[in-house]
Amino acid sequence: EVGEPFKEEKAVAKYLRFNCPTKSTNMMGHRVDYFIASKAVDCLLDSKWAKAKKGEEALFTTRESVVDYCNRLLKKQFFHRALKVMKMKPDKDTKKEKEKGKAESGKEEEKKSKKESGKDEKTKKEKEKEKKKDGEKDECKKDDTPGTPKKKETKRKFKLEPHEDQAFLDGNEVYVWIYDPVHFKTFAMGLVLVIAVIAATLFPLWPAEMRVGVYYLSVGAGCFVASILLLAVARCILFLIIWLITGGRHHFWFLPNLTADVGFIDSFRPLYTHEYKGPKADLKKEEKSESKKQQKYDSEEKSDSEKKEEEDGKTEATRNSGTDGSGGERHSDTDSDRREDDRSQHSSGNGNDFEMITKEELEQQTDEGDCEEEEEEDTESGPSHGKS
């Protein structure tokens, strides 16, 4: 025979009921709350009964002591042990899901083949690069393959049934609560509700000033609710009028978040939203996507051309350095030709054009000018000697 529970047992059961994590489900047509044994043991080991008081020993010292105490609570019908029974899906549902998965994979493959056939060579190159990146990612994550549809994580459904062996075991065993005390918050809310109902019934006995104030408050609250309802209807009418006039191209919403599941202030933000859903909008989206792709391709081509120019510049520099020692005269000839070309180009332009010349070129020009003066003196002295 099981006696009535003691005050201490009621206190422990109440603490466990409101502090141990619980879940709700259906059992034999009734909504019940259940918990897992291991979590209940952990909850009691963290409670005040697991700490020793002055002159007294702790009630819970080990997990075994908690299990023994919970067996006492189970015998006094605070909770009982249940058995998980998984629900099996019928064969028809499984076959339908398989067919749906195959159909979706086939549609995705057809879409991909159409896109690949319609694109140019530029897009093909970009696809190859994307495929390489996807291949590197697939090595790390084999489940996220591009061809296969993603599997949705579905939780297996189960139902609870009474267990034959009613005993408390530390583990993943399931226990259903029978003890359902009233929480303090629910008690306080009920008390406030009762007081409010009594005060409302005694409204004729209130002072005159309070009655007038309550009257104005009720009228203001009623007007506010009516205005929100009228706004909700008016915004729908405005949307329909604009939608019909523009043939479904312009979608204009006044206070779009008025009836959304948001806060009071956020329901009035933004003031309006406008969307254009016509043929031009689709063309603009396509043009933007194509322009982005072309910019990427042009940047890649520019980078390749810059690399080639740098390589050509390096080869020319090496050739020039190799030919400086052997062909000094050729270098001077080429320099003189370049100077003449530059002078001809500058002479064809405006008179205000100037040319930047290095120190080496200035020295070479002065040397050439001296040589020309000496040649002129020789020519003048030559005929004079002849005359003499």
Side-chain angles (χ1 to χ4, degrees):
E1 293 181 359
V2 179
E4 292 183 358
F6 299 106
K7 289 183 180 180
E8 187 183 34
E9 291 174 349
K10 284 184 179 180
V12 172
K14 193 172 183 179
Y15 176 83
L16 194 64
R17 180 71 178 84
F18 294 122
N19 291 288
C20 181
T22 58
K23 294 180 181 179
S24 59
T25 186
N26 290 322
M27 181 177 177
M28 300 177 69
H30 298 283
R31 196 72 177 172
V32 295
D33 295 331
Y34 67 93
F35 65 94
I36 297 168
S38 60
K39 292 182 180 179
V41 174
D42 294 335
C43 182
L44 289 176
L45 285 173
D46 293 334
S47 64
K48 62 181 181 179
W49 293 281
K51 298 175 183 178
K53 296 180 181 178
K54 293 180 179 179
E56 295 180 359
E57 292 182 358
L59 185 61
F60 304 124
T61 55
T62 59
R63 296 184 75 88
E64 293 177 355
S65 62
V66 177
V67 170
D68 293 336
Y69 197 88
C70 288
N71 272 311
R72 286 167 55 188
L73 295 177
L74 188 142
K75 288 178 182 178
K76 291 187 178 182
Q77 296 182 354
F78 283 98
F79 48 81
H80 65 87
R81 189 180 178 186
L83 180 67
K84 275 186 178 182
V85 179
M86 295 295 174
K87 292 182 179 179
M88 298 299 290
K89 290 183 180 180
D91 296 332
K92 292 181 181 179
D93 294 338
T94 55
K95 286 180 181 179
K96 287 180 181 178
E97 287 179 358
K98 288 180 181 179
E99 289 176 356
K100 285 181 181 178
K102 289 179 182 179
E104 288 176 358
S105 63
K107 288 179 181 178
E108 287 178 357
E109 288 177 358
E110 288 178 358
K111 287 179 181 178
K112 287 182 180 179
S113 62
K114 287 179 182 178
K115 287 180 182 178
E116 289 176 356
S117 62
K119 288 182 180 180
D120 299 328
E121 293 179 356
K122 294 179 181 180
T123 56
K124 286 180 181 179
K125 289 180 181 179
E126 292 176 357
K127 273 189 175 183
E128 289 176 357
K129 292 179 181 179
E130 289 177 358
K131 285 179 181 178
K132 288 180 182 179
K133 292 178 181 179
D134 292 334
E136 292 176 355
K137 291 178 181 178
D138 291 334
E139 290 178 357
C140 300
K141 296 179 181 179
K142 293 181 180 179
D143 296 333
D144 297 334
T145 55
T148 57
K150 293 182 179 180
K151 294 180 180 179
K152 294 180 180 179
E153 295 180 357
T154 56
K155 293 180 179 180
R156 296 183 67 185
K157 294 182 179 179
F158 63 89
K159 60 181 180 179
L160 296 178
E161 292 181 357
H163 203 285
E164 294 179 357
D165 186 12
Q166 291 295 322
F168 191 87
L169 301 173
D170 187 7
N172 291 325
E173 298 295 327
V174 177
Y175 293 88
V176 177
W177 281 106
I178 300 171
Y179 179 62
D180 192 11
V182 179
H183 200 270
F184 178 74
K185 288 182 180 179
T186 56
F187 178 77
M189 291 292 290
L191 186 62
V192 170
L193 184 63
V194 170
I195 292 168
V197 170
I198 293 168
T201 55
L202 297 175
F203 180 75
L205 300 177
W206 289 14
E209 294 176 355
M210 289 179 68
R211 282 184 287 173
V212 172
V214 170
Y215 171 75
Y216 284 119
L217 285 173
S218 60
V219 171
C223 293
F224 178 73
V225 172
S227 64
I228 289 173
L229 292 172
L230 288 171
L231 268 175
V233 175
R235 61 192 286 274
C236 292
I237 293 167
L238 182 64
F239 174 80
L240 283 171
I241 291 167
I242 294 169
W243 187 78
L244 290 170
I245 291 168
T246 59
R249 293 180 180 179
H250 293 273
H251 291 200
F252 180 83
W253 280 107
F254 179 71
L255 295 175
N257 293 325
L258 186 65
T259 57
D261 189 10
V262 293
F264 179 76
I265 296 170
D266 292 331
S267 61
F268 296 96
R269 296 177 183 174
L271 186 63
Y272 68 91
T273 57
H274 176 257
E275 290 182 4
Y276 177 73
K277 293 184 178 180
K280 291 182 180 180
D282 298 332
L283 291 171
K284 286 179 181 179
K285 289 179 181 178
E286 291 177 358
E287 288 176 357
K288 285 180 180 179
S289 62
E290 288 177 358
S291 63
K292 286 179 181 179
K293 289 179 181 178
Q294 287 179 358
Q295 286 176 0
K296 289 180 181 178
Y297 185 72
D298 293 336
S299 63
E300 290 177 357
E301 284 185 348
K302 284 180 182 178
S303 61
D304 295 334
S305 62
E306 286 175 357
K307 288 179 182 178
K308 288 179 181 179
E309 288 177 358
E310 288 177 356
E311 291 177 356
D312 294 336
K314 289 179 181 178
T315 53
E316 288 178 358
T318 52
R319 287 176 185 173
N320 291 327
S321 62
T323 55
D324 283 339
S326 60
E329 294 177 355
R330 293 178 184 175
H331 184 69
S332 63
D333 294 336
T334 54
D335 290 334
S336 62
D337 294 335
R338 285 177 185 172
R339 286 185 199 126
E340 288 175 1
D341 293 335
D342 293 332
R343 286 170 186 170
S344 64
Q345 288 177 0
H346 284 288
S347 63
S348 63
N350 294 325
N352 295 325
D353 294 332
F354 295 98
E355 183 181 4
M356 298 297 292
I357 300 172
T358 59
K359 291 181 179 180
E360 294 177 359
E361 290 176 354
L362 283 168
E363 290 175 359
Q364 289 178 1
Q365 285 179 2
T366 52
D367 293 335
E368 288 175 1
D370 295 333
C371 293
E372 288 175 359
E373 288 176 0
E374 288 176 1
E375 287 176 0
E376 287 175 0
E377 287 175 1
D378 293 334
T379 52
E380 288 175 359
S381 63
S384 64
H385 284 295
K387 286 178 184 179
S388 63

